[in-house]
Amino acid sequence: MSIVLYRVDDRLIHGQVIVGWGQPFHVGFIVLVDDAVRASDWEQDLYRMGVPPHIEVSFASIAEAAQRLPEWEADPRPGILLAGSIDTLAALSANSHRVKRINLGGIHHQPGRSQRLRYVYLSDSEAVKLKELAGQGIEITAQDVPTARPVPLEEFA
Amino acid sequence: MSEPLRGVIVSHAAVAQALKSAVGTITGVEDALIPVSNDGCDSGALSERLAAAIGGKPAVLFVDLPGGSCLTSAIRLAKGRTDVAVVTGVNLAMLLDFVFHRDLPPLEAARRAGEAGSKAIRTPAA
């Protein structure tokens, strides 16, 4: 099955990921790609608290994720790869040509961003970056939960 | 006498507001609980909402789920503090107990409320 979802979500591991996506896809593992979380045992313990025991959680830096992506893609269990920012997944896709789809699941308001969807706020530079990734052949949609319509990038950026 | 503890309910959607309303209806106590929703928040924005709700006062944070964005923000805020405690799995029974025991230290109040909430979970024969 490998990785069923490459998701950008600034809340990282939370209810929509574990329950909303994890249940219907019978997810067996989650990879959280974030340099800061990778460097902090305390942060990792915090995110593990939200994960039921049947789901394995791995924490990786961007560099580690680029290296281990083939291993995760070959895993027979369905998995989710999570990043907290567009920059993180853009860096990962630059170092690996395996990322073919990106799901935007939650990018919230910050100074410099404007609302594009209920749960997606983007700065102009983030919108440009997403278009560049789409230009490289990566399918980019926004979808917070599986029952929602996947919104193509062209509709909000 | 020191100021009584405040309870901050941290939840998805409108659960926190509904629980506060129910406690008010049952007990008449309207000023003990502050609802905080994570709607539209990244972790930074939720932390700001929580900090504003706590207001620098001793508090117990009642979180809906034992994981996820509400819990991570609550624990970050409580880290290293003795005047803020966290309890998860908030339900009406634990809040009803809490509003009448706000003179306890935060951790003790959180433990007591957690026990009251656990005792309320039963599967009575129909």
Side-chain angles (χ1 to χ4, degrees):
Chain A
M1 279 298 287
S2 76
I3 296 175
V4 294
L5 194 70
Y6 290 88
R7 180 174 174 97
V8 181
D9 191 327
D10 52 29
R11 297 159 293 185
L12 298 173
I13 294 174
H14 68 113
Q16 284 181 352
V17 173
I18 297 296
V19 182
W21 291 91
Q23 292 276 0
F25 284 95
H26 305 290
V27 162
F29 71 99
I30 291 173
V31 179
L32 197 166
V33 183
D34 187 288
D35 287 353
V37 176
R38 177 66 180 88
S40 167
D41 290 341
W42 188 82
E43 288 280 337
Q44 291 175 28
D45 287 343
L46 198 53
Y47 284 109
R48 274 199 191 93
M49 289 177 74
V51 182
H54 67 276
I55 298 178
E56 182 188 348
V57 188
S58 299
F59 299 91
S61 65
I62 295 168
E64 289 168 338
Q67 202 169 28
R68 295 187 62 189
L69 207 45
E71 170 196 334
W72 295 323
E73 284 281 11
D75 195 306
R77 301 168 298 172
I80 293 174
L81 187 145
L82 271 179
S85 72
I86 293 165
D87 281 346
T88 299
L89 262 191
L92 182 58
S93 59
N95 289 319
S96 165
H97 298 296
R98 291 175 178 271
V99 180
K100 303 296 182 197
R101 309 167 308 281
I102 292 176
N103 157 261
L104 306 181
I107 302 172
H108 293 88
H109 178 69
Q110 281 183 9
R113 285 180 177 163
S114 61
Q115 185 169 17
R116 313 300 175 107
L117 296 169
R118 177 175 50 80
Y119 54 89
V120 176
Y121 292 70
L122 298 174
S123 67
D124 290 343
S125 65
E126 287 171 325
V128 167
K129 191 163 285 178
L130 287 171
K131 287 175 184 170
E132 287 172 358
L133 290 170
Q136 294 164 19
I138 298 174
E139 180 189 346
I140 298 173
T141 57
Q143 187 180 15
D144 55 352
V145 289
T147 50
R149 180 178 76 92
V151 184
L153 180 65
E154 310 83 71
E155 292 188 25
F156 61 90
Chain B
M1 184 178 169
S2 59
E3 189 176 345
L5 284 176
R6 59 178 61 186
V8 178
I9 313 168
V10 195
S11 81
H12 293 73
V15 172
Q17 180 60 54
L19 284 168
K20 173 188 162 56
S21 175
V23 170
T25 300
I26 293 168
T27 67
V29 177
E30 301 285 357
D31 61 350
L33 300 170
I34 301 169
V36 173
S37 169
N38 73 346
D39 265 358
C41 287
D42 65 3
S43 58
L46 182 54
S47 293
E48 285 175 18
R49 283 186 190 179
L50 280 177
I54 293 169
K57 305 282 177 60
V60 175
L61 309 184
F62 294 91
V63 181
D64 56 1
L65 292 174
S69 58
C70 294
L71 181 66
T72 52
S73 295
I75 290 184
R76 281 199 185 95
L77 231 148
K79 185 183 181 188
R81 295 177 64 168
T82 57
D83 60 340
V84 177
V86 179
V87 59
T88 66
V90 61
N91 62 27
L92 190 50
M94 72 167 68
L95 294 174
L96 291 173
D97 186 88
F98 171 76
V99 297
F100 293 112
H101 298 91
R102 297 166 61 207
D103 54 340
L104 296 172
L107 186 58
E108 196 176 328
R111 285 182 178 146
R112 182 191 166 92
E115 285 172 15
S118 297
K119 284 178 188 166
I121 299 170
R122 300 174 190 175
T123 51

